[in-house]
Amino acid sequence: MAVCLEFELIEVIGTRAKYRFGPCLHDLDGLIELDLFKLKSGEISGDTPINEVVKLINDNQKQGMANKVFSEVFKFFNDHNEYPARGGYYA
């Protein structure tokens, strides 16, 4: 089964970013909050539970989908040291 997710940056406040996300060609109605600056610096420990790193703000999407979006955002962040404006996960 193929998975296709899209995400879009809503806002950055300080070091935290909020994203909307959802399945491709559907409403991006899931909301997550990330703080990758703190994660990368070690201020957030590497053994912190993923649901505390990838904070699901609403119940419109599942944590597993949010985690897939996180992996794409984190890859970009690791390379560019900034949050991507938009993107997708395709598998």
Side-chain angles (χ1 to χ4, degrees), residues 8-20 31-35 57 83-85:
E8 179 179 90
L9 181 64
I10 299 171
E11 66 181 349
V12 176
I13 300 174
T15 59
R16 294 175 310 170
K18 286 187 182 178
Y19 281 92
R20 73 178 107 238
L31 295 173
I32 58 172
E33 183 177 273
L34 310 168
D35 195 331
I57 298 173
Y83 292 108

CSV table of all heavy atoms in Angstrom, one decimal, residues 8-20 31-35 57 83-85:
chain,number,residue,atom,x,y,z
A,8,GLU,N,2.8,21.4,5.3
A,8,GLU,CA,3.0,22.9,5.0
A,8,GLU,C,3.3,23.6,6.3
A,8,GLU,O,2.5,23.4,7.3
A,8,GLU,CB,1.7,23.4,4.4
A,8,GLU,CG,1.8,24.9,4.0
A,8,GLU,CD,0.5,25.3,3.3
A,8,GLU,OE1,-0.5,25.6,4.1
A,8,GLU,OE2,0.4,25.2,2.1
A,9,LEU,N,4.3,24.4,6.4
A,9,LEU,CA,4.6,25.2,7.6
A,9,LEU,C,3.6,26.3,7.8
A,9,LEU,O,3.2,27.0,6.9
A,9,LEU,CB,6.0,25.8,7.4
A,9,LEU,CG,6.5,26.7,8.5
A,9,LEU,CD1,6.8,25.8,9.8
A,9,LEU,CD2,7.8,27.4,8.1
A,10,ILE,N,3.1,26.4,9.0
A,10,ILE,CA,2.1,27.4,9.4
A,10,ILE,C,2.8,28.6,10.0
A,10,ILE,O,2.6,29.7,9.5
A,10,ILE,CB,1.1,26.9,10.4
A,10,ILE,CG1,0.3,25.7,9.8
A,10,ILE,CG2,0.1,28.0,10.8
A,10,ILE,CD1,-0.6,25.0,10.9
A,11,GLU,N,3.7,28.3,11.0
A,11,GLU,CA,4.4,29.4,11.6
A,11,GLU,C,5.6,28.9,12.4
A,11,GLU,O,5.6,27.7,12.8
A,11,GLU,CB,3.4,30.2,12.6
A,11,GLU,CG,2.9,29.4,13.8
A,11,GLU,CD,2.0,30.1,14.7
A,11,GLU,OE1,1.9,31.3,14.5
A,11,GLU,OE2,1.4,29.5,15.5
A,12,VAL,N,6.5,29.8,12.6
A,12,VAL,CA,7.6,29.5,13.5
A,12,VAL,C,7.6,30.5,14.6
A,12,VAL,O,7.6,31.7,14.3
A,12,VAL,CB,9.0,29.5,12.8
A,12,VAL,CG1,10.1,29.4,13.7
A,12,VAL,CG2,9.0,28.5,11.6
A,13,ILE,N,7.6,30.1,15.8
A,13,ILE,CA,7.6,31.0,17.0
A,13,ILE,C,8.9,30.6,17.8
A,13,ILE,O,8.9,29.5,18.4
A,13,ILE,CB,6.4,30.9,17.9
A,13,ILE,CG1,5.1,31.2,17.0
A,13,ILE,CG2,6.5,31.7,19.1
A,13,ILE,CD1,3.8,31.0,17.7
A,14,GLY,N,9.8,31.5,17.9
A,14,GLY,CA,11.1,31.1,18.5
A,14,GLY,C,11.8,30.0,17.8
A,14,GLY,O,12.1,30.1,16.6
A,15,THR,N,11.9,28.8,18.4
A,15,THR,CA,12.5,27.7,17.8
A,15,THR,C,11.5,26.6,17.4
A,15,THR,O,11.8,25.6,16.8
A,15,THR,CB,13.6,27.0,18.7
A,15,THR,OG1,13.0,26.7,19.9
A,15,THR,CG2,14.7,28.0,19.0
A,16,ARG,N,10.2,26.8,17.8
A,16,ARG,CA,9.2,25.9,17.5
A,16,ARG,C,8.5,26.1,16.2
A,16,ARG,O,8.2,27.3,15.8
A,16,ARG,CB,8.1,25.9,18.6
A,16,ARG,CG,8.6,25.4,19.9
A,16,ARG,CD,7.6,25.6,21.0
A,16,ARG,NE,7.1,27.0,20.9
A,16,ARG,CZ,6.0,27.5,21.5
A,16,ARG,NH1,5.3,26.8,22.2
A,16,ARG,NH2,5.7,28.8,21.3
A,17,ALA,N,8.1,25.1,15.5
A,17,ALA,CA,7.4,25.2,14.2
A,17,ALA,C,6.1,24.4,14.3
A,17,ALA,O,6.0,23.4,14.9
A,17,ALA,CB,8.3,24.6,13.1
A,18,LYS,N,5.1,25.0,13.7
A,18,LYS,CA,3.8,24.3,13.6
A,18,LYS,C,3.6,24.0,12.1
A,18,LYS,O,3.8,24.8,11.2
A,18,LYS,CB,2.6,25.2,14.1
A,18,LYS,CG,2.6,25.3,15.6
A,18,LYS,CD,1.4,26.0,16.0
A,18,LYS,CE,1.4,26.2,17.5
A,18,LYS,NZ,0.3,26.9,18.0
A,19,TYR,N,3.1,22.8,11.8
A,19,TYR,CA,2.8,22.3,10.5
A,19,TYR,C,1.4,21.7,10.4
A,19,TYR,O,0.9,21.1,11.4
A,19,TYR,CB,3.8,21.1,10.1
A,19,TYR,CG,5.1,21.6,9.7
A,19,TYR,CD1,6.2,21.7,10.6
A,19,TYR,CD2,5.4,21.9,8.4
A,19,TYR,CE1,7.4,22.1,10.2
A,19,TYR,CE2,6.7,22.3,8.0
A,19,TYR,CZ,7.7,22.4,8.9
A,19,TYR,OH,8.9,22.8,8.5
A,20,ARG,N,0.8,21.9,9.3
A,20,ARG,CA,-0.4,21.2,8.9
A,20,ARG,C,0.0,20.1,8.0
A,20,ARG,O,0.9,20.3,7.2
A,20,ARG,CB,-1.5,22.1,8.4
A,20,ARG,CG,-1.2,22.6,7.0
A,20,ARG,CD,-2.4,23.5,6.5
A,20,ARG,NE,-1.9,24.9,6.4
A,20,ARG,CZ,-2.5,25.9,7.1
A,20,ARG,NH1,-3.6,25.7,7.7
A,20,ARG,NH2,-1.9,27.1,7.0
A,31,LEU,N,-2.4,18.7,12.7
A,31,LEU,CA,-1.5,19.8,13.2
A,31,LEU,C,-0.5,19.2,14.1
A,31,LEU,O,-0.8,18.4,15.0
A,31,LEU,CB,-2.3,20.8,13.9
A,31,LEU,CG,-3.3,21.6,13.1
A,31,LEU,CD1,-4.1,22.5,14.1
A,31,LEU,CD2,-2.6,22.5,12.1
A,32,ILE,N,0.8,19.5,13.8
A,32,ILE,CA,1.9,19.1,14.7
A,32,ILE,C,2.8,20.3,15.1
A,32,ILE,O,2.8,21.3,14.4
A,32,ILE,CB,2.8,18.0,14.1
A,32,ILE,CG1,3.4,18.4,12.8
A,32,ILE,CG2,2.0,16.7,14.0
A,32,ILE,CD1,4.4,17.5,12.2
A,33,GLU,N,3.5,20.1,16.2
A,33,GLU,CA,4.4,21.1,16.6
A,33,GLU,C,5.8,20.4,16.9
A,33,GLU,O,5.8,19.3,17.5
A,33,GLU,CB,4.0,21.8,17.9
A,33,GLU,CG,4.9,22.9,18.4
A,33,GLU,CD,4.4,23.6,19.6
A,33,GLU,OE1,3.6,24.6,19.4
A,33,GLU,OE2,4.7,23.2,20.7
A,34,LEU,N,6.8,21.0,16.4
A,34,LEU,CA,8.2,20.5,16.5
A,34,LEU,C,9.1,21.5,17.0
A,34,LEU,O,8.9,22.7,16.8
A,34,LEU,CB,8.7,20.0,15.1
A,34,LEU,CG,7.8,19.1,14.3
A,34,LEU,CD1,8.4,19.1,12.9
A,34,LEU,CD2,7.7,17.8,14.9
A,35,ASP,N,10.2,21.1,17.7
A,35,ASP,CA,11.3,22.0,18.1
A,35,ASP,C,12.6,21.3,17.7
A,35,ASP,O,13.2,20.7,18.6
A,35,ASP,CB,11.2,22.4,19.5
A,35,ASP,CG,12.1,23.6,19.8
A,35,ASP,OD1,13.1,23.8,19.1
A,35,ASP,OD2,11.8,24.4,20.8
A,57,ILE,N,-1.2,18.1,17.7
A,57,ILE,CA,-2.0,19.2,18.3
A,57,ILE,C,-3.5,18.9,18.2
A,57,ILE,O,-4.3,19.3,19.1
A,57,ILE,CB,-1.7,20.5,17.7
A,57,ILE,CG1,-0.3,20.9,17.9
A,57,ILE,CG2,-2.6,21.6,18.2
A,57,ILE,CD1,0.2,22.1,17.2
A,83,TYR,N,13.6,25.2,8.9
A,83,TYR,CA,12.4,24.4,8.7
A,83,TYR,C,11.9,24.5,7.2
A,83,TYR,O,12.0,25.6,6.7
A,83,TYR,CB,11.2,24.8,9.6
A,83,TYR,CG,11.4,24.6,11.0
A,83,TYR,CD1,11.7,25.6,11.9
A,83,TYR,CD2,11.3,23.3,11.5
A,83,TYR,CE1,11.9,25.3,13.3
A,83,TYR,CE2,11.5,23.0,12.8
A,83,TYR,CZ,11.8,24.0,13.7
A,83,TYR,OH,12.0,23.7,15.1
A,84,PRO,N,11.6,23.4,6.5
A,84,PRO,CA,11.1,23.6,5.2
A,84,PRO,C,9.7,24.2,5.1
A,84,PRO,O,8.9,24.0,6.1
A,84,PRO,CB,11.0,22.1,4.7
A,84,PRO,CG,10.8,21.3,5.9
A,84,PRO,CD,11.6,22.1,7.0
A,85,ALA,N,9.4,24.9,4.1
A,85,ALA,CA,8.1,25.6,4.0
A,85,ALA,C,7.0,24.6,3.6
A,85,ALA,O,5.8,24.7,4.1
A,85,ALA,CB,8.1,26.7,2.9
